[in-house]
Amino acid sequence: MLRHLAAPALALAVVAALPIAQQAEKAAPPAEFTPVSVSYGQPHGTKLVKGQFLSYNDFHGAIDPPSGSGAVVNASGTSTPAGGVEYLATYLKKLRAEAKAEGRSTLTVGAGDLIGATPLVSAAFHDEPTIELMNQVGLQVSSVGNHEFDEGVAELIRLQRGGCHPTDGCQDGDGFKGAKFTYLAANTIDNKTGLPILPPIEIKFVGGVPVGFIGMTLEGTAGIVNPAGIKNVHFTDEVETANKWSNLLKLFGVKAQVLLLHEGGAQGTATPTPGVSDCNNFSGPVVDIVKGLNPEIGLVVSGHTHRFYSCSLPNKSSTSVVTSAGTNGQLITDIDYSIDKRSGKFAAITAKNVIVQNGVSDGAGGWKKDATTGVFLKNPDTVDQGAKKIADKYRTAVAPIANKIVGSITADITRTATSAGETPLGDVIADAQLAYTKSAGAQLALMNPGGIRADLVAGASAGGEAPGQVTYGEAFTVQPFNNLVVTQTFTGAQIKDVLEQQWSGYKGQTSSKTLQVSAGLTYTWSASAPLGSKITELKLNGVAIDPATSYLVTTNDFLANGGDGFSVLATGTGRVTAPGFDIDALVAYLTAAPVSPGDTKRITNIA
């Protein structure tokens, strides 16, 4: 029966009636590639089926190799230039070939955020290029992540099923057939039907033995995407949902199960930096999620945090291997496993992360750089030509827009935060949005740090521009969401309340994050002060903010709709929307004069 289960319609019908409660080389790897290995103690003489999973997560449309500080993977005290879809394709083929030589068949899987927050080469075409390239590199199944919802549920479903964009059509002229891989969305529930918007599970066969996949995003997705695109769905608890579908898979006789989960954790800081396959002082939401999972879920491919790790963590009554491959296609998790043919359960799982190197060795343990710009040289010998052909089609199409010079910077402007949470680039973007709306009377601007996706690097020269010049494509990579810029009226008391909501636990906030502020707004926060009372010395242009006075405040519409948990920002009045998008505000600011890094002296913290 399972072999003919092409879609989970039967599973949906069955489970809808169930209550939730029921429901580098393989040889001699360097130290940072030391694999996590779990054995489930199968009896002597057990007949095994062997296979391989290759996984990655948080690709974010990184078709081109990342630049700036994100150009390298920093691990075990070394920095390795990595990423770019042509190199990802090459490494996937290499790892599959190695597995085939060992008699293992390969399944390639993802853990969400393949799209969304993408550079212009993908975003200009509503991320169709990324979907085409994921098809090309052989992805077979992935969970959705929060960024899959950046353009709303209907657009996600179009990307899965195919068809031209309802407004912009098929811009590349050759149609769009959709994803060949399956997006899984077990905990994204349609409010009207009560069922997942996309398949919740997928079943694959390895040597005649079924392997079940459950895919989901984090329960907190609603708080970190624009509410306008998800108003007809809700997101359910990760543990309850995973176990519900796990129980159904067991009912079908599928006892080797993999959870593709867009939620994760992080290794603790250390010197040297932990290795890409380490599990050093590990913590994060995924730990408690795994604790509640059925033991059949032997592998959790995770994401969201953009960190790398390979761990073994306790589940409800056994152990699960938990992995993450960082971000931007710079790593691939290579997972070897065996299944007991008699019981259908995992017998052993071994996992390690492999760096997708794109650089040219200097022969001395380092990597060659361009003598003028200082940018790492890319290795033409490890480019996959099939992936390059698709990527080049879109690079050529977008080049006239992407390579247009829009301004200049005097030095690198980064997202590196002070101890108070302020960043040079956050300062610049907030200043740009204030300048963009000052003619409408705006007095201050606030920017969410998660909306700032890359550094502005003076030496970057993707379009052949001179050092310090900034192209539209580079600016768009920094702010890729096409959010609207809105100005609203708030009282001084509300502004303080917004800033107090930067800490988890205050007025429904679920995670702590520091809003970036425009020049003139200053304040001090105390780490030891109680929630709701952390902000002092709140001033605008040196004058104390008056709780009873009204002020005009600029944000993007994501924040104005209550995104990132800032529900107070949804209570403003007299909303006015500026022409264009947030990227237009940044471009206008860059065009006006050479821009220097922000001074990072607006926010002060004390014990």
Side-chain angles (χ1 to χ4, degrees):
M1 178 181 74
L2 288 177
R3 199 173 294 277
H4 302 288
L5 197 61
L10 175 61
L12 281 168
V14 173
V15 84
L18 296 177
I20 266 188
Q22 289 182 5
Q23 321 270 319
E25 297 290 332
K26 293 240 178 189
E32 67 267 26
F33 297 129
T34 302
V36 61
S37 185
V38 173
S39 175
Y40 295 100
Q42 299 303 308
H44 179 70
T46 298
K47 291 185 178 180
L48 301 176
V49 170
K50 295 182 178 182
Q52 176 196 53
F53 302 121
L54 297 178
S55 66
Y56 53 91
N57 49 275
D58 298 274
F59 182 72
H60 288 294
I63 292 170
D64 297 324
S67 60
S69 60
V72 297
V73 173
N74 293 306
S76 301
T78 63
S79 297
T80 306
V85 74
E86 296 104 326
Y87 302 96
L88 176 67
T90 295
Y91 270 79
L92 286 170
K93 287 181 178 179
K94 174 179 179 290
L95 293 169
R96 288 176 189 133
E98 291 174 354
K100 185 176 182 181
E102 296 178 354
R104 298 179 184 270
S105 60
T106 302
L107 294 169
T108 305
V109 303
D113 277 11
L114 306 176
I115 59 172
T118 55
L120 188 64
V121 67
S122 184
F125 305 96
H126 298 282
D127 282 329
E128 291 175 14
T130 296
I131 297 298
E132 278 191 47
L133 282 159
M134 294 302 94
N135 292 343
Q136 172 70 20
V137 304
L139 185 66
Q140 292 165 281
V141 58
S142 177
S143 70
V144 295
N146 54 288
H147 281 286
E148 263 75 18
F149 296 95
D150 280 353
E151 292 194 46
V153 170
E155 174 65 359
L156 169 60
I157 292 173
R158 182 187 76 87
L159 291 174
Q160 173 72 87
R161 297 176 180 172
C164 297
H165 188 273
T167 302
D168 294 332
C170 285
Q171 297 165 278
D172 64 355
D174 60 5
F176 177 64
K177 296 180 180 178
K180 294 180 181 178
F181 61 92
T182 304
Y183 264 128
L184 302 182
N187 68 335
T188 306
I189 307 303
D190 186 292
N191 293 338
K192 187 175 291 186
T193 66
L195 296 173
I197 61 164
L198 288 167
I201 58 174
E202 178 93 340
I203 299 169
K204 301 286 189 182
F205 285 84
V206 180
V209 179
V211 177
F213 296 89
I214 306 161
M216 68 180 79
T217 186
L218 69 156
E219 182 184 5
T221 291
I224 53 176
V225 301
N226 200 317
I230 56 169
K231 58 187 177 182
N232 296 320
V233 300
H234 65 278
F235 302 90
T236 57
D237 179 83
E238 299 98 337
V239 175
E240 290 182 346
T241 305
N243 286 341
K244 169 182 175 178
W245 292 102
S246 169
N247 290 338
L248 185 70
L249 286 168
K250 283 193 291 182
L251 190 65
F252 287 155
V254 183
K255 297 177 183 177
Q257 300 175 9
V258 179
L259 176 60
L260 307 176
L261 173 66
H262 193 71
E263 179 61 290
Q267 299 188 63
T269 56
T271 303
T273 310
V276 294
S277 298
D278 289 346
C279 192
N280 183 64
N281 295 322
F282 188 77
S283 63
V286 74
V287 176
D288 286 335
I289 291 171
V290 174
K291 281 180 183 177
L293 295 179
N294 288 347
E296 287 80 8
I297 301 175
L299 173 64
V300 179
V301 177
S302 67
H304 188 55
T305 60
H306 292 195
R307 305 299 180 89
F308 47 69
Y309 47 82
S310 181
C311 301
S312 59
L313 299 177
N315 57 39
K316 192 186 291 185
S317 61
S318 183
T319 301
S320 297
V321 171
V322 181
T323 69
S324 173
T327 184
N328 288 337
Q330 293 183 304
L331 295 165
I332 299 167
T333 310
D334 182 3
I335 305 162
D336 288 342
Y337 66 92
S338 57
I339 300 174
D340 180 342
K341 289 195 75 170
R342 181 180 55 82
S343 69
K345 297 179 181 180
F346 283 118
I349 303 173
T350 299
K352 69 175 184 293
N353 282 322
V354 176
I355 299 177
V356 178
Q357 299 178 6
N358 63 28
V360 179
S361 172
D362 64 6
W367 304 92
K368 291 183 179 180
K369 294 183 177 181
D370 182 276
T372 302
T373 65
V375 174
F376 289 104
L377 297 178
K378 303 299 181 289
N379 189 347
D381 296 334
T382 53
V383 166
D384 179 83
Q385 294 303 316
K388 183 178 186 298
K389 182 178 179 180
I390 295 173
D392 281 350
K393 176 181 72 169
Y394 290 105
R395 288 167 179 150
T396 300
V398 82
I401 301 170
N403 295 335
K404 180 182 178 182
I405 296 168
V406 296
S408 62
I409 55 178
T410 62
D412 291 353
I413 308 179
T414 73
R415 296 165 292 165
T416 303
T418 66
S419 62
E422 187 177 357
T423 73
L425 187 50
D427 285 357
V428 167
I429 290 173
D431 289 349
Q433 293 189 1
L434 178 59
Y436 196 64
T437 54
K438 213 154 194 179
S439 62
Q443 295 164 276
L444 62 102
L446 304 172
M447 176 63 193
N448 56 307
I452 307 171
R453 307 302 296 189
D455 300 337
L456 279 173
V457 181
S461 185
E465 71 276 9
Q469 292 183 323
V470 179
T471 65
Y472 183 83
E474 290 168 342
F476 190 91
T477 299
V478 172
Q479 285 191 275
F481 292 106
N482 274 340
N483 287 318
L484 300 173
V485 180
V486 301
T487 303
Q488 302 179 93
T489 298
F490 293 90
T491 65
Q494 286 176 305
I495 292 171
K496 182 178 183 294
D497 229 17
V498 168
L499 296 175
E500 296 286 0
Q501 209 170 22
Q502 294 175 117
W503 284 273
S504 178
Y506 184 70
K507 292 197 171 180
Q509 179 61 271
T510 58
S511 63
S512 297
K513 50 187 71 69
T514 303
L515 293 170
Q516 305 299 291
V517 303
S518 56
L521 185 69
T522 58
Y523 68 89
T524 298
W525 62 266
S526 169
S528 60
L531 288 174
S533 301
K534 291 184 177 292
I535 302 295
T536 58
E537 300 295 317
L538 178 58
K539 298 178 181 180
L540 182 60
N541 300 320
V543 179
I545 292 278
D546 182 355
T549 298
S550 293
Y551 299 85
L552 284 173
V553 180
T554 294
T555 68
N556 57 46
D557 66 328
F558 167 73
L559 281 174
N561 292 336
D564 269 352
F566 288 98
S567 58
V568 178
L569 284 172
T571 64
T573 59
R575 181 184 294 202
V576 175
T577 301
F581 300 101
D582 52 359
I583 179 60
D584 299 314
L586 179 59
V587 166
Y589 195 68
L590 290 166
T591 301
V595 175
S596 298
D599 60 15
T600 63
K601 295 180 179 178
R602 305 167 190 184
I603 307 172
T604 304
N605 63 316
I606 57 177

